[in-house]
Amino acid sequence: MGISSQAMAQASSSDEVSEVVVTGTRIPSPNLESVSPVTAIGAQELKAQGVTRVEDMINTLPQAFAAQGAALSNGSTGTATINLRGLGATRTLVLVDGRRLMPGTPNTSGGALAADINFIPAALVQRVDVLTGGASAVYGADAVAGVVNFIMQKNFEGVRVDAQYGLYQHDNSSPIADVVNRAAAAAASPQFFALPKNNVRDGESSEVTLVLGVNAPDGKGNVTAYAGYRHVEPILQGNRDFSACTLNSGASFSACGGSGTAFPARVGNFVVDVTSAAQQFRPRVAARDVYNFGPSNYYQRPDDRYVMGAFAQYEIAPWATAYADLMFMDDTSTYQIAPGGIFAGNFSINCANPLLSPQQRGLLAATAASGGGTCATNPNGTFTGVVARRNVEGGGRQGTTEHTQYRYVVGLRGDLNDNWNYDFFMQYGRVKFKQVQTGFFRTSAIQNALNVVSVNGVPTCTSVVNGSDPACVPYNIFANGGVTRAQLDYLETPSFSTGNTFERVVNFSMGGDLTDYGVKSPWSEEGVGVSFGAEYRREQLDSAADFVSSAGLLNGSGGAAPPVNGSFDVYEAFAEARLPIITDMAFAKRVQVELAYRYSDYSTSVTTDTYKIAGDWQFDDNIRVRASYQRAVRAPHVLELFSPQNVVLDGTQDPCAGLTAANPLVARCAQAFNLTTAQVLAIEANPANQYNGQTGGNPNLDPETSDTFSFGFVATPTFLPGFNFSADYFDIKVKDYISGIGADVIINRCVNTLDPFFCSLVKRDSAGSIWLSPQGYVVDTTLNTGALRTKGIDINAGYRTDLENLGLENAGGISLSFVGTYLDKLQTKPLPGDAYYDCAGLYGTVCGVPAPEWRHKVRLTWNTPFEYGDWVKSLGLSIQWRHFNKATLDAYSNDPQLNNTGIQYESDRVLGARDYVDLTATWTVKDSLNFRFGVNNVFDKDPPLTGSSNCPTGSCSGNTWPQVYDSFGRYIFLGLTADF
């Protein structure tokens, strides 16, 4: 078992297979060698890894970077996506049996449309091909970073049940526990700094899949059907000691931080004193009065998934085989983040509010407009200032997301004669999306519930008295224990959103071998192979939310969710040719060239040309060299074209917030934003490091274009049978890439350079803030910006032999597989004319997820000779080693575009290297029961940690990067495949 390291396509073992279409070309090939570098993952490797989620397998590959997945909660779209080469999930094309998989969600919170691989039933996967670099000439737009092609099992006969159960086990022994204990001892509310028990077992997952296959009585067809169910339990961040509090960045991890929206309530510069029996305020201490928001977040989202489908084919004539693929999924996943409430912002409280105590009235200042003084001396006045309180009584905010997906393919294919074949298919894909969010307050309801008068001695909302909101219930945030269920029922407002994506494809292609027509090189007996055809594709999306979400009325929801509706069509023509130049000559067993071209005409008045030229030279049976150049494109998707502009959480920095008078940035910020010194010093920092940005689409976007160069060699030495080795260099450059500039880049560029273009994009509210209200934000809308570039080397190796060849009789056989990637460059040019900055080996607020310079995985399997009657046969034992090199904080880079002294903290300087060891055993009982048992991350390695100053919301969660590193502990699994 293991990863194919020959960079060769894998074929069925059936002797009937004579032609295979290799991932990366549509030309039928009698040999299985790929000109383009391909890493293939077999079904046995999937089972050995113990995955119930295909994303977990893909993410172990060195070519894959963190994307949407089960370990994201804040910022989750409820999907799982693939991000090859760190160029973004939208630049990776996902195929099922060589045909495009539709976009996975219309959920606009993710901002990117990419295929959802939750749709793929793991038990039906025969192999996964991962192709390096651009392939748009063959498959169309989006194949910029590469292609992931899921080859599904078909032509199955019989009954198969595949079942698996797994869970995480973790020993909580991190020194962070001491930090949490100190925080609890110093906290006003120590109950929010609880530690988990020492030994935890959680995150259980179970999956069962039934596969039925039957051949036609005349032997001309087959139907393979499947149905499956998967259930995943959640993991809370509070169940791991290293994520039991949100860590502050510093010289070391010595203190817990949190959010300024805390418990108990903050009113102006005061907080409710929970240590006093009397109802009173005490002065707020900014460093102490924060809320530990991390523990109630989901580390792993709960999930329930149902899948079913069928693959059918029938030969209706010698030249025509009808086929159909029917696939369905219903997946429900829930994210949970910290409790909501009143997020720090400006609110008004009338001084006559009967819920205030005399001491509290004496401390609150009435506005000058309402007469000044204090609320005690001016009962007709109004206090206006920052009010904040966590809704700890109501629990975490949740979003239950359901995706119902359908994919239908119907087609006709066949051989017209010995030289020509054709394939015609129509494909329809649809995703239905709905989401229910709970635990959020309506902002207008908060204001109504704080404006209270006494009516016959009963506290009553002013809005009830004047009839503007008869349902209002006063919110008593001023007394300990003052909040009731009736108050929360008024404030908490569920919201609903729905949407759809549609994809329609019609494709016709023909392939031919021109050998019999004499179209061949004089140095080769093989003729030219060709493929050509045409394709129509339509992409459509609609998304809408209820009024409270679309109008941005929910407090702490990250912004409004305006409706989106748009579509585009594309008409394409394509052609490929393979030209054998030399065959069976000295030092040239095979020399061939591949050419491809595709013309695309979009309904957005854009046309594109993509092309490929590739070649390989096989000297003999021992060595082969290959090289390619490919031009690929990515057309803007519907969200990038048509999303309305909207203020959401976007950045992690405001270099002008929380400054002291001695800081030289004070004068710089005053100059940049036309503020007085006093106004700069009054800008409040967000303890959670979350700042607003205005994002949105742009209908005038041009397509991205990319150029991929690759060259390498494959060695299969005859003196060492069973061994193979390949090394391939890749260089991918994306021009006019579609993105926002980045809120952090914009505001830092403004402060550092005083460039009026960047400074004009920073819109501060009346308090000078870019987080206290939706009026403060950084304009970060979608543009054709600069360029992306990545370079590196992929290395694959494999070895398989019987141990008797090594002198060990009756000892079974071994197989070894290795795949590794050296990342030389991962560069971004923010804007045309800018210099590139390089994120290879870095992570942080600009570079994002860790990008280690070296990653590898290696598996050694021993297929033992041991048997015990019918109870133990085909016993196999394997060990896998997964390695991640260190990643350094981008703020320490010497590059001026990355270097940021304001967030240079020793605690975050380096994410240390990580090595994980996985063990798996497989055995067969009674010839038809195939068991597997394994433990991943055997030594229960904790993930490397990041403080809050360098932990961007979303991809960084629970003080680490859970989509990159093993963050939950040991994963223990037991599986069974039973054939009947």
Side-chain angles (χ1 to χ4, degrees):
M1 63 187 72
I3 294 178
S4 167
S5 56
Q6 296 175 308
M8 297 169 67
Q10 306 298 301
S12 167
S13 61
S14 172
D15 293 334
E16 298 177 1
V17 174
S18 59
E19 289 190 337
V20 174
V21 177
V22 179
T23 297
T25 178
R26 297 181 188 271
I27 301 173
S29 174
N31 67 79
L32 303 183
E33 295 179 345
S34 169
V35 174
S36 299
V38 175
T39 296
I41 309 165
Q44 286 184 308
E45 174 70 13
L46 287 168
K47 286 182 167 57
Q49 196 68 38
V51 299
T52 58
R53 295 183 297 246
V54 174
E55 64 172 286
D56 295 333
M57 180 68 249
I58 298 297
N59 285 339
T60 65
L61 292 176
Q63 300 97 323
F65 283 62
Q68 284 285 331
L72 289 186
S73 199
N74 198 350
S76 165
T77 62
T79 63
T81 59
I82 301 173
N83 174 13
L84 290 182
R85 306 295 181 194
L87 296 179
T90 55
R91 298 177 184 92
T92 298
L93 181 61
V94 179
L95 308 174
V96 176
D97 291 323
R99 302 180 187 91
R100 181 182 294 263
L101 181 61
M102 66 276 185
T105 182
N107 187 347
T108 59
S109 64
L113 285 180
D116 179 9
I117 59 173
N118 282 315
F119 188 70
I120 306 295
L124 271 291
V125 175
Q126 180 174 315
R127 78 173 194 269
V128 185
D129 289 348
V130 180
L131 171 69
T132 296
S136 290
V138 177
Y139 296 115
D142 305 333
V144 171
V147 172
V148 178
N149 188 10
F150 292 91
I151 310 300
M152 310 305 293
Q153 182 173 7
K154 300 179 180 180
N155 297 318
F156 177 78
E157 185 176 18
V159 178
R160 172 175 292 172
V161 176
D162 189 273
Q164 182 165 299
Y165 173 81
L167 58 80
Y168 288 97
Q169 184 275 327
H170 178 66
D171 295 318
N172 281 308
S173 56
S174 170
I176 297 301
D178 295 334
V179 179
V180 179
N181 282 328
R182 289 197 298 270
S189 302
Q191 69 270 26
F192 299 123
F193 293 89
L195 282 170
K197 60 184 180 180
N198 291 336
N199 187 318
V200 293
R201 292 181 296 275
D202 53 13
E204 293 97 335
S205 62
S206 56
E207 182 175 36
V208 60
T209 305
L210 172 66
V211 185
L212 304 172
V214 60
N215 290 329
D218 57 7
K220 294 183 177 181
N222 175 272
V223 176
T224 300
Y226 67 92
Y229 171 69
R230 182 183 73 194
H231 175 74
V232 179
E233 287 289 317
I235 298 176
L236 287 168
Q237 290 180 16
N239 285 351
R240 300 294 184 270
D241 51 5
F242 53 78
S243 55
C245 81
T246 303
L247 293 171
N248 277 342
S249 303
S252 63
F253 292 127
S254 59
C256 293
S259 168
T261 297
F263 174 88
R266 170 191 176 183
V267 182
N269 292 319
F270 303 98
V271 296
V272 174
D273 188 354
V274 296
T275 64
S276 172
Q279 180 180 329
Q280 64 184 28
F281 285 146
R282 63 168 174 81
R284 175 176 179 261
V285 180
R288 180 171 178 254
D289 292 318
V290 295
Y291 178 71
N292 183 23
F293 60 84
S296 54
N297 287 342
Y298 281 153
Y299 240 156
Q300 173 177 274
R301 300 192 317 273
D303 179 83
D304 284 283
R305 187 196 67 165
Y306 298 87
V307 294
M308 63 184 302
F311 307 110
Q313 61 178 14
Y314 185 77
E315 183 184 303
I316 58 178
W319 52 270
T321 297
Y323 63 92
D325 298 351
L326 309 176
M327 302 178 72
F328 166 83
M329 179 192 77
D330 185 87
D331 182 59
T332 300
S333 181
T334 300
Y335 76 77
Q336 178 173 293
I337 55 178
I342 307 176
F343 280 81
N346 288 321
F347 292 89
S348 296
I349 301 172
N350 61 310
C351 288
N353 189 320
L355 300 176
L356 289 167
S357 70
Q359 187 262 3
Q360 291 170 333
R361 286 195 185 92
L363 291 175
L364 294 184
T367 64
S370 65
T374 69
C375 282
T377 61
N378 181 9
N380 294 321
T382 300
F383 163 82
T384 298
V386 175
V387 178
R389 187 189 190 274
R390 283 283 169 175
N391 176 26
V392 297
E393 299 85 358
R397 290 164 287 167
Q398 290 191 339
T400 299
T401 303
E402 181 179 6
H403 289 96
T404 304
Q405 302 189 22
Y406 312 83
R407 182 176 183 267
Y408 310 135
V409 179
V410 293
L412 193 70
R413 62 175 175 241
D415 295 328
L416 298 175
N417 54 36
D418 291 340
N419 298 310
W420 291 96
N421 62 65
Y422 70 94
D423 189 359
F424 171 76
F425 70 86
M426 295 184 292
Q427 177 178 311
Y428 173 80
R430 180 185 180 185
V431 178
K432 294 173 60 179
F433 159 80
K434 61 181 179 181
Q435 184 178 71
V436 180
Q437 294 188 109
T438 58
F440 293 87
F441 287 3
R442 272 182 300 123
T443 304
S444 59
I446 295 170
Q447 184 57 77
N448 289 344
L450 295 177
N451 194 2
V452 181
V453 296
S454 178
V455 177
N456 298 322
V458 178
T460 306
C461 295
T462 302
S463 60
V464 172
V465 176
N466 62 30
S468 61
D469 185 1
C472 180
V473 178
Y475 190 29
N476 187 1
I477 64 173
F478 310 106
N480 297 323
V483 174
T484 66
R485 185 68 251 176
Q487 296 171 21
L488 298 184
D489 287 343
Y490 167 67
L491 291 164
E492 291 181 345
T493 305
S495 64
F496 306 88
S497 55
T498 60
N500 299 276
T501 63
F502 301 90
E503 183 178 78
R504 299 170 177 87
V505 179
V506 180
N507 181 290
F508 177 78
S509 63
M510 291 191 67
D513 182 348
L514 305 184
T515 303
D516 290 347
Y517 303 97
V519 182
K520 59 183 180 179
S521 163
W523 304 286
S524 174
E525 292 300 316
E526 297 179 14
V528 173
V530 297
S531 175
F532 54 88
E535 181 172 290
Y536 165 78
R537 178 165 54 95
R538 178 175 176 81
E539 304 280 357
Q540 182 179 351
L541 179 147
D542 64 80
S543 176
D546 60 10
F547 176 73
V548 293
S549 286
S550 60
L553 302 182
L554 295 177
N555 196 253
S557 65
V564 182
N565 197 323
S567 64
F568 65 83
D569 303 87
V570 56
Y571 296 85
E572 299 180 295
F574 55 86
E576 291 183 74
R578 179 186 293 117
L579 290 72
I581 307 299
I582 304 172
T583 56
D584 298 322
M585 296 181 68
F587 303 107
K589 183 173 182 179
R590 174 183 298 275
V591 179
Q592 63 181 356
V593 174
E594 285 186 4
L595 305 173
Y597 173 77
R598 179 179 290 250
Y599 173 79
S600 305
D601 187 351
Y602 290 83
S603 59
T604 53
S605 301
V606 170
T607 62
T608 62
D609 300 275
T610 56
Y611 38 87
K612 173 182 82 169
I613 179 169
D616 68 340
W617 186 320
Q618 184 176 357
F619 293 94
D620 52 28
D621 291 334
N622 293 278
I623 194 163
R624 179 166 64 97
V625 297
R626 57 190 174 192
S628 68
Y629 163 70
Q630 303 194 54
R631 163 63 60 90
V633 299
R634 186 182 77 84
H637 58 62
V638 175
L639 291 179
E640 291 168 332
L641 289 168
F642 303 116
S643 291
Q645 295 185 356
N646 185 30
V647 175
V648 298
L649 294 178
D650 187 39
T652 64
Q653 300 175 39
D654 181 356
C656 299
L659 300 178
T660 60
N663 195 313
L665 280 178
V666 173
R668 193 78 170 178
C669 292
Q671 184 179 0
F673 302 114
N674 195 28
L675 300 173
T676 65
T677 298
Q679 287 174 320
V680 173
L681 293 175
I683 298 175
E684 187 172 337
N686 187 341
N689 298 298
Q690 297 174 338
Y691 295 92
N692 294 335
Q694 184 186 65
T695 62
N698 179 353
N700 298 315
L701 292 171
D702 292 324
E704 299 174 345
T705 59
S706 76
D707 295 297
T708 299
F709 299 90
S710 69
F711 62 85
F713 71 94
V714 180
T716 53
T718 54
F719 62 82
L720 186 58
F723 176 78
N724 56 77
F725 178 90
S726 68
D728 290 278
Y729 169 83
F730 60 87
D731 181 342
I732 306 171
K733 182 178 181 180
V734 182
K735 295 176 288 188
D736 297 323
Y737 86 98
I738 298 168
S739 174
I741 300 172
D744 291 348
V745 172
I746 291 169
I747 197 166
N748 281 296
R749 189 77 66 93
C750 165
V751 172
N752 293 335
T753 68
L754 299 179
D755 188 318
F757 169 76
F758 292 102
C759 292
S760 67
L761 299 177
V762 181
K763 311 293 184 182
R764 295 189 178 274
D765 65 12
S766 58
S769 173
I770 54 171
W771 67 277
L772 281 173
S773 75
Q775 287 69 49
Y777 55 85
V778 177
V779 178
D780 188 22
T781 50
T782 306
L783 304 167
N784 285 107
T785 56
L788 305 173
R789 190 169 190 177
T790 184
K791 301 179 183 179
I793 299 173
D794 287 333
I795 297 175
N796 290 263
Y799 181 58
R800 182 184 298 270
T801 187
D802 290 330
L803 288 176
E804 65 181 18
N805 297 327
L806 303 180
L808 300 174
E809 297 291 334
N810 301 317
I814 62 168
S815 61
L816 178 72
S817 66
F818 174 92
V819 56
T821 296
Y822 167 67
L823 181 64
D824 179 42
K825 301 289 184 183
L826 183 60
Q827 298 176 309
T828 299
K829 179 191 291 187
L831 290 169
D834 283 357
Y836 282 99
Y837 62 80
D838 188 3
C839 289
L842 304 180
Y843 85 99
T845 61
V846 178
C847 289
V849 299
E853 291 184 336
W854 175 255
R855 287 176 58 186
H856 73 246
K857 57 183 291 186
V858 56
R859 182 181 292 277
L860 173 65
T861 300
W862 178 29
N863 296 309
T864 76
F866 304 132
E867 294 186 358
Y868 183 76
D870 288 337
W871 296 102
V872 177
K873 294 183 177 181
S874 303
L875 174 64
L877 303 174
S878 75
I879 182 171
Q880 179 173 252
W881 169 31
R882 294 177 285 127
H883 173 78
F884 296 77
N885 256 27
K886 69 177 183 179
T888 304
L889 182 64
D890 52 16
Y892 280 99
S893 170
N894 293 327
D895 190 315
Q897 296 185 80
L898 297 176
N899 186 274
N900 188 340
T901 57
I903 53 174
Q904 289 180 356
Y905 296 100
E906 194 62 31
S907 60
D908 305 342
R909 180 191 283 266
V910 176
L911 299 177
R914 283 298 181 271
D915 293 280
Y916 301 108
V917 175
D918 309 326
L919 298 175
T920 306
T922 61
W923 68 96
T924 300
V925 176
K926 296 286 188 179
D927 294 323
S928 61
L929 303 177
N930 300 291
F931 288 89
R932 57 192 180 271
F933 173 78
V935 182
N936 297 339
N937 188 11
V938 170
F939 299 108
D940 191 20
K941 287 287 188 72
D942 286 353
L945 302 181
T946 305
S948 59
S949 294
N950 294 292
C951 188
T953 301
S955 53
C956 185
S957 177
N959 304 317
T960 189
W961 307 80
Q963 284 289 114
V964 178
Y965 302 102
D966 288 29
S967 301
F968 308 145
R970 297 182 184 92
Y971 178 65
I972 305 168
F973 64 89
L974 175 65
L976 167 66
T977 301
D979 291 313
F980 305 98

